[in-house]
Amino acid sequence: MFTDLFTYSAAEWDAIRLSLKVALLCTLFVLPVAVGIGWLLARKKFFGKAFVEGFLHLPLVLPPVTVGYILLVFFGRNGWLGAFFYEHFGWQIAFSFPAAVIAAIVVSFPLVTRSIRLSIELVDKHYEEAARTLGASNTRVFFSVTLPLALPGVISGAILAFARSLGEFGATISFAGNIAGETQTLPLAIFSSMQVPGQESSTMRLVVVSIILSLIAMIGAEYLNRKILNRKT
């Protein structure tokens, strides 16, 4: 029984690799957009800002299945965007690997944006103003002053996106389905294994991997958050 905990089947390795691939792609796609939106919310005032903030944070409070259904409405073959992509490019987004990535992006985006926004807000504006008085453009100020000082928060946000993607279940199963080898990520594989009698060892193996990966990511995020707080004090 003990040795069974270290003997992974090909299907289990597929689920682990797929989860890591989804989480990595999600992080790469989310991070640049979240940096831009986080800076906008931290540094700019505009009409409707409260509405924009509320809309961006909706995935945090909506049931994940609801998020998946909304994505299905937009990106399904007969959906508003899904029909366009299918008719013009032959792409079926729903119930495919890209759908798993999109679901992870949507649910993790608010966490990343919030982390980056708070980090940018902690950057002393006087440093930015000093750079401008020396002739630096707004773009140069952002890349040479704001972003380096907010980097711990950006890295923390990236880790949060990675960890949240690893644990995503509701939106994924609603929008991407539970297709082995294509959309069956680690949480979905655990769910499927739980439904089969006699698969306790398989379930436990996947749970252990899920805990280890998530714990590593969260410890890293907490460490970087503490660095931000120490810098403030």
Side-chain angles (χ1 to χ4, degrees), residues 5 20 22 29 31 38 40 43 69 89 96 106 117 120 122 146 161-162 169 180 188 198 208 211 227 229:
L5 292 176
L20 292 173
V22 168
F29 281 120
L31 202 56
L40 184 67
R43 288 291 187 255
Y69 176 77
F89 304 101
S96 65
V106 171
R117 174 193 176 178
I120 292 176
L122 290 175
T146 309
F162 188 86
F169 176 82
L188 273 63
V208 169
I211 291 173
K227 285 191 66 176
L229 293 176

Side-chain angles (χ1 to χ4, degrees), residues 4 9 57 61 70 72 87 108 165 192 206 208 220 229:
D4 288 345
S9 66
H57 287 87
V61 295
I70 293 172
L72 196 59
E87 291 175 6
S108 63
S165 300
S192 298
L206 295 172
V208 169
L229 293 176

Side-chain angles (χ1 to χ4, degrees), residues 22 26 67 71 75 93-94 97-108 171 175:
V22 168
C26 169
V67 175
L71 289 173
F75 291 100
I93 298 178
F97 174 75
V101 177
I102 292 172
I105 288 173
V106 171
V107 298
S108 63
F175 179 46

Side-chain angles (χ1 to χ4, degrees), residues 58-139:
L58 265 181
L60 291 178
V61 295
L62 284 175
V65 175
T66 302
V67 175
Y69 176 77
I70 293 172
L71 289 173
L72 196 59
V73 169
F74 276 93
F75 291 100
R77 181 178 291 189
N78 297 319
W80 300 339
L81 293 175
F84 172 81
F85 285 118
Y86 185 75
E87 291 175 6
H88 291 82
F89 304 101
W91 298 345
Q92 179 175 319
I93 298 178
F95 304 107
S96 65
F97 174 75
V101 177
I102 292 172
I105 288 173
V106 171
V107 298
S108 63
F109 184 78
L111 289 173
V112 187
T113 304
R114 181 173 178 82
S115 174
I116 294 174
R117 174 193 176 178
L118 293 176
S119 183
I120 292 176
E121 287 179 343
L122 290 175
V123 175
D124 194 336
K125 293 182 179 180
H126 291 93
Y127 293 124
E128 298 172 334
E129 294 170 357
R132 291 190 186 96
T133 59
L134 294 175
S137 64
N138 289 333
T139 302

Side-chain angles (χ1 to χ4, degrees), residues 94-96 99 171-179 183-185 188:
F95 304 107
S96 65
T172 303
I173 199 171
S174 302
F175 179 46
N178 188 9
I179 307 171
T183 66
Q184 189 180 77
T185 55
L188 273 63

Side-chain angles (χ1 to χ4, degrees), residues 4-53:
D4 288 345
L5 292 176
F6 300 94
T7 307
Y8 290 85
S9 66
E12 291 165 354
W13 280 118
D14 283 342
I16 295 170
R17 283 193 292 266
L18 188 63
S19 289
L20 292 173
K21 187 177 179 181
V22 168
L24 181 59
L25 288 174
C26 169
T27 305
L28 291 176
F29 281 120
V30 161
L31 202 56
V33 181
V35 168
I37 299 297
W39 175 85
L40 184 67
L41 295 176
R43 288 291 187 255
K44 298 296 181 179
K45 295 181 179 180
F46 53 88
F47 178 77
K49 183 177 179 180
F51 174 80
V52 172
E53 291 177 339

